Amino acid sequence: GWVGDHQLHLFNTNPPLRRRPNTASGVRSTFSSAMPTILDQIFVMERGRVLTAISLSLVGVLTLFIVPRMVGISLENVDRTLDYLQIFIIGSAICLFIIHSLITAPSLVKSKSNGFVYPIMAFGIGSFAYYFIAVVFGAALGDFARTAAWACMMATLTLIPASAYLRNHPEKWQRFFGAYMPTTNIESIYTFSSYGTVIGAWLGAFPIPLDWDRPWQVWPISCVYGALAGYILGSIVALAFVFLGWEIKSKRSS
């Protein structure tokens, strides 16, 4: 009866059976939480994202600058200048958009927003603006194809990376266009590289009217070289600022 069961319970010294924990799953969860991926470690800090974006952008632009020459398409060859620029523009647009969308603004990529709309709008408006500026500064109206190709290249280097991050933020676009006022390390990428591209293209126009009779003096070859040199130099300056830990601050006027 009850007494026998009670006595059996008292004299049973074996501890109750316990379920053995699943050590394999525990080890896996601990390992996954303790060992984040390299990209997670890089994206934690804004400085890491900036350094990665600048480095990959430079590698991509330099690769697209060299590869057409390896297959016989030279910028100095007047008959192949447009072919060279088309390859460079398409490749650079895709490369820079992917890099700056995934690295400088990963939260925007996850947010199901129309990320392609703003770069396309910026590219179209910027190309028209650069074409108009080139004509005002003396580009021949009859040379529409070359001028349009140069304008598209300028819009690719200066506006597509910025639009991938700035998106629909009017105050950031106002700082970007209105004055030299980057407030973050990420904004410094676009400020230095864009200003360097524009200044380089402007300096590249100086040899065009000289009577040196060089192949690279034909419009817009020297301006393309100047723009690429300015982009690379501006990106290196931004890389140095971020790498050395110099914060770029701006005072907003009240």
Side-chain angles (χ1 to χ4, degrees), residues 64-106:
L64 290 167
F65 176 74
I66 296 172
V67 168
R69 297 174 177 273
M70 299 175 63
V71 296
I73 302 177
S74 176
L75 183 62
E76 292 84 359
N77 188 350
V78 179
D79 297 331
R80 306 301 301 271
T81 299
L82 291 178
D83 297 334
Y84 182 94
L85 289 176
Q86 289 173 3
I87 295 173
F88 182 84
I89 291 167
I90 296 174
S92 297
I94 297 174
C95 175
L96 293 176
F97 173 75
I98 293 176
I99 290 172
H100 290 274
S101 295
L102 295 179
I103 295 180
T104 59

Side-chain angles (χ1 to χ4, degrees), residues 2-15:
W2 178 84
V3 176
D5 295 339
H6 184 66
Q7 291 176 350
L8 180 63
H9 176 70
L10 290 177
F11 289 100
N12 186 10
T13 58
N14 295 327

Side-chain angles (χ1 to χ4, degrees), residues 22-137:
N22 191 347
T23 56
S25 61
V27 171
R28 284 196 299 266
S29 61
T30 304
F31 180 79
S32 60
S33 61
M35 296 293 294
T37 62
I38 297 176
L39 289 179
D40 292 337
Q41 293 177 357
I42 292 175
F43 292 162
V44 168
M45 300 299 294
E46 180 192 47
R47 185 173 298 169
R49 298 201 306 270
V50 172
L51 294 175
T52 306
I54 297 176
S55 302
L56 292 179
S57 298
L58 285 174
V59 171
V61 170
L62 289 174
T63 302
L64 290 167
F65 176 74
I66 296 172
V67 168
R69 297 174 177 273
M70 299 175 63
V71 296
I73 302 177
S74 176
L75 183 62
E76 292 84 359
N77 188 350
V78 179
D79 297 331
R80 306 301 301 271
T81 299
L82 291 178
D83 297 334
Y84 182 94
L85 289 176
Q86 289 173 3
I87 295 173
F88 182 84
I89 291 167
I90 296 174
S92 297
I94 297 174
C95 175
L96 293 176
F97 173 75
I98 293 176
I99 290 172
H100 290 274
S101 295
L102 295 179
I103 295 180
T104 59
S107 60
L108 297 178
V109 176
K110 298 177 182 179
S111 63
K112 297 183 180 180
S113 59
N114 296 327
F116 292 97
V117 175
Y118 303 107
I120 292 174
M121 290 177 58
F123 178 79
I125 296 173
S127 298
F128 178 80
Y130 280 120
Y131 180 86
F132 177 78
I133 293 172
V135 172
V136 169
F137 277 89

